[in-house]
Amino acid sequence: MTALNPITQIDGYKLDHRRQYPANTTRVYSNWTPRSSRIPGVDRVVLLGLQYFLREHLEVGFSDFFRAGVDGVCEEYERRVNGYLGPNEIGTQHIRDLHKLGYLPLEFRAIPEGTTVPLRVPMLTVENTHPDFAWLVNYFETLMSNVLWLPCTSATTARRMRQLLDSAAARTGSPAGFVDWQGHDFSFRGMAGPEAAALSGMGHLLYFTGTDTIPALDLIERNYGTAADYLLGGSVAATEHSVMCAGGEECELDTFDRLLKLYPSGIVSVVSDTWDLWNVLTSVLPELKDRIMARPGKLVIRPDSGDPVKIICGDPEATDPAAQQGVIRLLWDIFGGTTTDTGHRLLDQHIGCIYGDSINFERAKAITDGLAANGFASANMVFGVGSYTYQYVTRDTFGFAMKATWVEIDGKGRAIFKTPRTDDGTKNSARGRLAVALGDAGDLVLINEATAEEEARSLLRPVWRNGLLAAREGFDVIRARAREDMKAHP
């Protein structure tokens, strides 16, 4: 068995729902849907991570379960349940029956990954394919919600950031292709473990190429794959404060000199606020200007503290003249650059700037707006997007929920639904079997109590049945779909 028994990766109250359904319940049909948004202006949510969930948690996760001896599996299950609830009547026969079956009798239908859905439109449905295992459908609600909400939320967050930076690039004449690298994932250290970092990092990579979260690349290659020689993500050589501190404050110029020798070409990012950012910009860099300008590559300056908007764009109320100017204007005064078609100044290709401390959508917007107001192009900046953005969210950011809407009892199917009187309508569920179709306005719409014909035409297509993927989709395909979807729904 694996370290975590897959059959008990559930909320505890799920253990006995099997016996709580009406007698002769042979089918349960549920959907997973984003019901609401806590982010103003965001009313679409990206589906991402389903193929990972199906492969990693249902296929790989249950491989040991089905290979292990049934007595050992049931003894472990019973030990956990009895130690958790005390002696009870849940039993283990249903676990023995599942083990004997040898596969998970479920069917998942979903919209294609990388697609956005409007709020309250289902992303996927799941139902059992064997009448003895209706209990299994919502048994997996906990695990599925736990795994899927984060990549979907991070992808939706990255999509919004991408739209902001695309718009800023167009407004200031910045190279459109640069935006692929303008958002850089710095979030690994602030996430809730390596799996969370990898899943969130995958969401970032749906819309950007820059990342320091290497586990996201491993997760994608293992569960999605790409076309040969396809660039999933990348980064550059970069320092940290320990490197800068080790050289000593009095020798900071020597440290920069040593780094330029260590990296005679290519991009190198140097954290520059270890002691005095303004001294680096007004003393160190001017002395190294000729070296930097002759070097076949780019030196990227990384401020790492203070108010990022004021640090980058300048603070008119500061007492230090350099702080009044801000990083980009100071770099322009030293290195110069070119003017874009919109009349905005773009730094020389040998110098650049990245800021990665507490960057979120609002700060990135304030910085790009501030640069534009000062006559500078947005491409003068790269943003390190960290856990301040990707971890300040929950499952409720987009109100994700898995709810059953149809059951079969005594051979007869019927719609089920919830409409809490004490709620504002957010928790009202869909009804019956469901379909997703293109509405008259060309967007996805939900069809409640769908007919068999409507289900057959639904955009919720079979993706996994009885333990097998219908087809494995490469991340390159999903990324291209996400980019097209963003054009269709700006």
Side-chain angles (χ1 to χ4, degrees):
M1 298 294 292
T2 56
L4 291 176
N5 186 351
I7 204 65
T8 52
Q9 291 187 53
I10 57 170
D11 284 323
Y13 82 136
K14 294 283 186 184
L15 288 166
D16 208 21
H17 288 174
R18 175 183 61 87
R19 297 193 305 150
Q20 296 172 14
Y21 285 109
N24 299 320
T25 298
T26 52
R27 294 176 75 186
V28 171
Y29 173 94
S30 290
N31 73 96
W32 197 69
T33 301
R35 300 176 298 182
S36 58
S37 174
R38 292 183 175 181
I39 303 178
V42 178
D43 57 4
R44 308 184 67 83
V45 183
V46 183
L47 174 60
L48 185 67
L50 179 58
Q51 188 165 288
Y52 165 81
F53 168 75
L54 296 173
R55 285 173 54 85
E56 196 73 17
H57 286 275
L58 297 194
E59 293 180 19
V60 176
F62 270 84
S63 60
D64 286 348
F65 172 85
F66 288 118
R67 283 199 301 262
V70 67
D71 290 337
V73 167
C74 290
E75 286 173 8
E76 183 177 342
Y77 176 83
E78 191 165 7
R79 180 187 67 81
R80 172 59 60 222
V81 173
N82 289 347
Y84 175 67
L85 291 176
N88 58 76
E89 299 179 1
I90 292 176
T92 58
Q93 188 57 50
H94 60 303
I95 304 300
R96 289 182 178 274
D97 291 343
L98 179 61
H99 188 279
K100 181 179 179 180
L101 187 67
Y103 63 89
L104 294 176
L106 299 171
E107 180 178 62
F108 285 77
R109 291 173 174 254
I111 64 165
E113 289 195 52
T115 305
T116 56
V117 301
L119 298 175
R120 307 198 71 80
V121 171
M123 291 179 160
L124 64 90
T125 63
V126 56
E127 63 182 312
N128 58 299
T129 60
H130 189 295
D132 293 345
F133 297 97
W135 61 272
L136 200 59
V137 174
N138 268 32
Y139 192 85
F140 282 117
E141 174 192 4
T142 308
L143 181 61
M144 190 177 77
S145 294
N146 172 263
V147 173
L148 287 185
W149 79 261
L150 181 57
C152 292
T153 301
S154 290
T156 306
T157 301
R159 182 181 190 270
R160 185 176 182 233
M161 185 70 78
R162 176 74 195 220
Q163 290 173 314
L164 167 69
L165 297 179
D166 278 341
S167 175
R171 189 170 75 249
T172 62
S174 294
F178 180 73
V179 182
D180 283 346
W181 297 95
Q182 198 173 9
H184 195 97
D185 183 11
F186 276 6
S187 67
F188 190 175
R189 68 192 59 193
M191 303 303 290
E195 184 185 30
L199 287 169
S200 177
M202 176 171 63
H204 177 89
L205 285 170
L206 199 60
Y207 297 96
F208 295 102
T209 310
T211 183
D212 263 35
T213 306
I214 291 178
L217 306 177
D218 296 333
L219 181 148
I220 291 169
E221 287 184 349
R222 173 172 172 171
N223 294 281
Y224 292 84
T226 66
D229 300 324
Y230 181 81
L231 179 61
L232 277 175
S235 190
V236 301
T239 72
E240 65 177 14
H241 285 292
S242 69
V243 172
M244 307 307 291
C245 289
E249 182 175 3
E250 68 283 359
C251 299
E252 191 166 25
L253 175 62
D254 294 337
T255 298
F256 270 84
D257 179 70
R258 176 168 53 83
L259 291 168
L260 291 174
K261 291 176 181 176
L262 181 63
Y263 300 101
S265 62
I267 302 174
V268 58
S269 173
V270 179
V271 63
S272 303
D273 71 327
T274 302
W275 295 289
D276 187 347
L277 171 66
W278 308 121
N279 180 67
V280 168
L281 291 163
T282 59
S283 298
V284 174
L285 294 185
E287 189 158 344
L288 295 171
K289 175 182 176 180
D290 292 342
R291 293 263 313 279
I292 294 168
M293 295 295 281
R295 182 176 173 272
K298 178 184 285 189
L299 173 65
V300 178
I301 301 302
R302 179 162 76 91
D304 195 44
S305 56
D307 182 324
V309 181
K310 293 178 180 179
I311 296 294
I312 299 303
C313 299
D315 180 6
E317 298 180 357
T319 57
D320 188 323
Q324 293 176 6
Q325 297 296 307
V327 172
I328 299 303
R329 188 179 296 275
L330 289 171
L331 291 176
W332 175 268
D333 290 343
I334 301 166
F335 298 98
T338 58
T339 303
T340 70
D341 292 341
T342 58
H344 293 82
R345 288 169 287 181
L346 183 62
L347 287 171
D348 184 269
Q349 62 181 349
H350 294 92
I351 195 74
C353 181
I354 183 172
Y355 199 104
D357 181 56
S358 301
I359 290 296
N360 58 13
F361 178 89
E362 289 74 21
R363 286 176 175 168
K365 185 176 188 305
I367 290 169
T368 54
D369 286 349
L371 289 177
N374 291 335
F376 288 100
S378 63
N380 288 306
M381 282 299 303
V382 171
F383 296 99
V385 186
S387 56
Y388 191 76
T389 288
Y390 287 130
Q391 184 73 342
Y392 273 46
V393 291
T394 71
R395 182 178 66 94
D396 290 327
T397 298
F398 296 117
F400 283 112
M402 178 175 174
K403 299 299 175 187
T405 59
W406 184 90
V407 294
E408 183 180 77
I409 302 172
D410 290 325
K412 296 181 179 179
R414 66 182 180 91
I416 60 175
F417 55 90
K418 57 177 288 190
T419 55
R421 181 178 178 181
T422 51
D423 185 55
D424 61 2
T426 299
K427 292 188 175 182
N428 289 353
S429 68
R431 300 185 181 213
R433 300 187 68 84
L434 309 175
V436 173
L438 282 175
D440 293 338
D443 207 349
L444 301 181
V445 296
L446 165 64
I447 300 175
N448 285 289
E449 300 188 77
T451 64
E453 291 76 18
E454 288 169 330
E455 278 198 87
R457 295 194 301 267
S458 176
L459 298 177
L460 294 165
R461 307 306 302 166
V463 295
W464 196 85
R465 181 180 173 85
N466 295 341
L468 297 174
L469 277 173
R472 183 185 184 189
E473 269 203 319
F475 194 77
D476 51 331
V477 175
I478 295 171
R479 181 187 265 174
R481 180 183 295 130
R483 304 294 175 86
E484 288 302 312
D485 182 279
M486 191 165 59
K487 293 177 183 177
H489 304 287

